[in-house]
Amino acid sequence: MIQANIQEASHSYLYTFKVFITIIAICLACFYLLSPILVPIIISLSLYALLTPVTQYLVRKNCNHSLAIVFVLLVLLMLSFIALGYILPRVFDQLLLLQTKLPAIMTLVENYLTLGSKKITDLFGVELDMSEIFISLVSQSTSLGNTIIIGTSDKLISIMISVLLIPFMTYFMLKDFRSLRNNLMNCLPNSSFELGWLIYYRVSSQLQIYTRGVLIQAMIMAIITTIGFSLIGIEIPVLLGVMTGLLNLVPYVGPLISIIIASVVVLGMSPFDPSLLYLGMLVIVTGQIIDNTIVIPAFIANAVDLHPILVILGIIIFGNIFGMVGIILAIPAIAAAKILFTNLYSDIYNSSQRYSLTSSNTHE
Amino acid sequence: MRHFFWSNFFSRTNNEQEKIAEYWLKTPLFKGIPEAQLKHLVKNMHLRQFSSNETIFFQGDQGAGAILILQGSVKVMAKQVELATLVEGDFFGEIALAETDKRTADAIATTQTRLVFFLKQDLEEWVELEPQYGAIFLKNLAQTLALRLLKANNLLAQKK
């Protein structure tokens, strides 16, 4: 009896795996086909998730559906223009400041590395010139930067088209996504109809909680670190704060990169104050403590229940295949795949148990 | 000609929606809910067609929501025993609106049947948007589930 149960479970597991792989392959094919407009689609979907409750509310208050969508989008566009008009000039000013400081920062880092190399040579008797390694790294990253800038300017038209596409896509998603989704779900056979909706419901609600949580988390982190950097007197606090907030979207690795960036900026400040280096790190670490003890439990806890090793592996693999978009999408994609697999398995196992029970009753 | 086509096309849909709203309003679940609210909800409900003897769900399946019979009839069974036969205007599977874990019985269409699915997802969205009506609905749901539990207990007591 026990052996039969084990056999049944392993058979269900194998069958679930086959169905799961087929669905994932279809999703990846769609992902590949849509890759040229993937970023505007993701942004539009996020805006759809954010704005749907507002438009639904207006519709229930007897406002025309299309009018409600246009109204909400116009308000959003106005707010975005105001915010960009306020933030962009400051960010550009700070970028210019960083550009003027950059040669000084490089020289300073080079000097520190030369000193460090000398100490290592004196202590261990090993010939090591870290400044040379640094110079070659800088030249490589400069050429990479140039390639990115040239590539970006080449793609400027497609970027502009993507930016223009976002409001249109959001409009049509708000207007027709629901009926399109319902029509697609109606294509499911009767036997899978409820299971299909359940999986959709679980994935979408988890992704909604996750997206909302992550955006709030990034915003809070940006505000805390901007205030912290301004209070301790580090230059370009707004730019550094915004960067720290955005880097917080990348788990584990993001905070480390933001510490490195803040340290580089402190190193370039004249006169150089070593205490600022520790205070800068303290600001980021404090932000992380608030993030882990207050923000995550309040907004993201239970949104995704994934093992840290799975998260890190996912980020590396997705990052290698899909680049920056992959790094940001890794966690929600793995969480969605996990829900899909567990629900499929539970349904298939249930069906196989029912089938074996019916056939044993027939034999009796 | 064009006017004739479109007016028929839409009036048929509207008639169907009105019939669904009318049936739901007669159920204890929507007692005290304004008709206008229900009409908005009905727009998001899902119509499915089942052939005679087709299983709607099995005991133990995960359920996504409550089901209203728009046309036809449904047999509810547990462990090969027929518990009830439901007809046009009846509803079943409402436990899934509270907990989507497991269906508690088998449901089989006995004739060509048209069913309307009211999904838990749509209920939750509505409760978030209209909490005052959501509270009334959830109270109605609790009462309906309590009544069904009472009936089941009585049946068990009679058997013993």
Side-chain angles (χ1 to χ4, degrees), chain A residues 52-54 56-57 59-62 178 181-182 185-191 193-195 197-198 200-202 204 212 342-344 346-347 350-351 354 361, chain B residues 37 40-41 43-44 46-51 54 56-65 67 80 100-103 117 119-122 124-126 129-130:
Chain A
T52 303
V54 188
Q56 291 264 316
Y57 179 79
V59 169
R60 276 177 207 282
K61 296 290 164 208
N62 288 328
R178 203 170 262 268
R181 176 201 68 184
N182 290 357
M185 295 301 265
N186 273 339
C187 296
L188 287 170
N190 279 341
S191 55
F193 179 72
E194 283 199 272
L195 179 71
W197 270 109
L198 269 177
Y200 171 79
Y201 164 60
R202 284 173 183 160
S204 68
R212 212 177 296 162
T342 44
N343 280 280
L344 277 177
S346 139
D347 193 66
N350 203 19
S351 304
R354 194 168 50 236
N361 281 346
Chain B
Q37 284 289 323
H40 274 298
L41 271 179
K43 281 181 194 162
N44 289 325
H46 311 271
L47 197 64
R48 303 286 298 185
Q49 193 143 342
F50 288 77
S51 50
E54 187 178 351
I56 299 157
F57 55 71
F58 287 104
Q59 187 174 9
D61 278 356
Q62 298 184 80
I67 303 162
Q80 317 289 339
T100 53
D101 207 19
K102 301 272 180 210
R103 291 287 191 195
F117 283 76
L119 303 179
K120 192 185 179 197
Q121 180 183 4
D122 296 324
E124 281 186 354
E125 267 178 28
W126 178 59
L129 275 169
E130 305 282 356

Side-chain angles (χ1 to χ4, degrees), chain A residues 134-340:
Chain A
F134 175 70
I135 290 165
S136 87
L137 273 177
V138 168
S139 70
Q140 273 181 32
S141 55
T142 314
S143 68
L144 183 73
N146 282 339
T147 326
I148 291 170
I149 289 166
I150 292 163
T152 313
S153 53
D154 279 350
K155 286 180 182 169
L156 207 64
I157 293 170
S158 68
I159 291 171
M160 289 281 281
I161 291 169
S162 296
V163 170
L164 286 173
L165 263 178
I166 292 169
F168 287 103
M169 276 185 161
T170 314
Y171 173 80
F172 285 110
M173 275 183 191
L174 283 166
K175 197 168 176 288
D176 298 321
F177 179 79
R178 203 170 262 268
S179 58
L180 188 74
R181 176 201 68 184
N182 290 357
N183 286 338
L184 271 175
M185 295 301 265
N186 273 339
C187 296
L188 287 170
N190 279 341
S191 55
S192 314
F193 179 72
E194 283 199 272
L195 179 71
W197 270 109
L198 269 177
I199 292 174
Y200 171 79
Y201 164 60
R202 284 173 183 160
V203 169
S204 68
S205 56
Q206 208 171 59
L207 290 188
Q208 250 177 19
I209 297 169
Y210 178 77
T211 314
R212 212 177 296 162
V214 157
L215 288 177
I216 293 171
Q217 185 194 18
M219 214 163 70
I220 292 175
M221 194 67 183
I223 293 168
I224 291 172
T225 46
T226 304
I227 294 170
F229 291 142
S230 324
L231 285 176
I232 61 172
I234 289 186
E235 281 170 1
I236 56 166
V238 179
L239 182 63
L240 270 182
V242 171
M243 265 159 68
T244 313
L246 287 176
L247 280 167
N248 213 40
L249 290 174
V250 185
Y252 308 111
V253 192
L256 283 177
I257 300 173
S258 51
I259 286 179
I260 294 169
I261 294 173
S263 308
V264 168
V265 172
V266 171
L267 280 171
M269 281 172 68
S270 50
F272 170 62
D273 182 2
S275 65
L276 272 184
L277 208 62
Y278 306 117
L279 284 172
M281 282 183 203
L282 190 73
V283 167
I284 295 172
V285 172
T286 313
Q288 281 298 315
I289 291 169
I290 295 172
D291 188 41
N292 284 300
T293 53
I294 301 169
V295 183
I296 292 178
F299 299 105
I300 312 182
N302 302 326
V304 282
D305 180 25
L306 298 171
H307 196 278
I309 290 178
L310 194 66
V311 171
I312 292 171
L313 277 176
I315 289 168
I316 293 168
I317 295 168
F318 271 72
N320 263 326
I321 303 173
F322 302 112
M324 197 58 202
V325 180
I327 290 176
I328 293 168
L329 287 185
I331 296 177
I334 297 168
K338 191 184 163 192
I339 296 172
L340 179 70

Side-chain angles (χ1 to χ4, degrees), chain B:
Chain B
M1 179 68 193
R2 191 166 167 255
H3 172 72
F4 170 79
F5 170 75
W6 284 113
S7 63
N8 266 314
F9 184 78
F10 283 116
S11 70
R12 200 169 50 182
T13 319
N14 283 342
N15 277 344
E16 208 159 55
Q17 283 186 0
E18 269 172 25
K19 199 176 170 188
I20 296 169
E22 190 188 310
Y23 278 154
W24 274 123
L25 268 178
K26 283 180 189 164
T27 65
L29 287 179
F30 285 95
K31 205 173 93 184
I33 306 285
E35 205 176 329
Q37 284 289 323
L38 185 61
K39 279 184 177 165
H40 274 298
L41 271 179
V42 166
K43 281 181 194 162
N44 289 325
M45 290 182 185
H46 311 271
L47 197 64
R48 303 286 298 185
Q49 193 143 342
F50 288 77
S51 50
S52 181
N53 284 325
E54 187 178 351
T55 304
I56 299 157
F57 55 71
F58 287 104
Q59 187 174 9
D61 278 356
Q62 298 184 80
I67 303 162
L68 175 88
I69 305 172
L70 187 65
Q71 197 186 347
S73 61
V74 171
K75 190 167 63 176
V76 181
M77 295 180 69
K79 291 174 185 163
Q80 317 289 339
V81 179
E82 190 174 326
L83 298 176
T85 300
L86 305 171
V87 291
E88 204 173 299
D90 287 340
F91 69 99
F92 59 102
E94 68 281 2
I95 293 177
L97 289 177
E99 178 56 62
T100 53
D101 207 19
K102 301 272 180 210
R103 291 287 191 195
T104 50
D106 297 342
I108 300 150
T110 49
T111 56
Q112 187 82 2
T113 304
R114 295 176 83 206
L115 301 174
V116 181
F117 283 76
F118 175 35
L119 303 179
K120 192 185 179 197
Q121 180 183 4
D122 296 324
L123 168 68
E124 281 186 354
E125 267 178 28
W126 178 59
V127 170
E128 223 169 274
L129 275 169
E130 305 282 356
Q132 72 272 37
Y133 298 120
I136 298 174
F137 180 88
L138 293 176
K139 198 182 88 185
N140 292 342
L141 178 65
Q143 273 173 353
T144 311
L145 293 177
L147 271 175
R148 298 242 161 142
L149 183 68
L150 208 67
K151 268 187 187 173
N153 283 346
N154 284 342
L155 263 174
L156 265 174
Q158 275 172 13
K159 270 192 176 178
K160 277 179 183 173

Side-chain angles (χ1 to χ4, degrees), chain A residues 66-94:
Chain A
S66 303
L67 264 178
I69 297 169
V70 170
F71 173 73
V72 168
L73 278 178
L74 279 177
V75 170
L76 182 82
L77 278 175
M78 266 170 59
L79 287 175
S80 314
F81 280 131
I82 292 168
L84 285 178
Y86 180 76
I87 292 168
L88 273 185
R90 277 157 185 79
V91 170
F92 280 132
D93 283 352
Q94 300 206 329

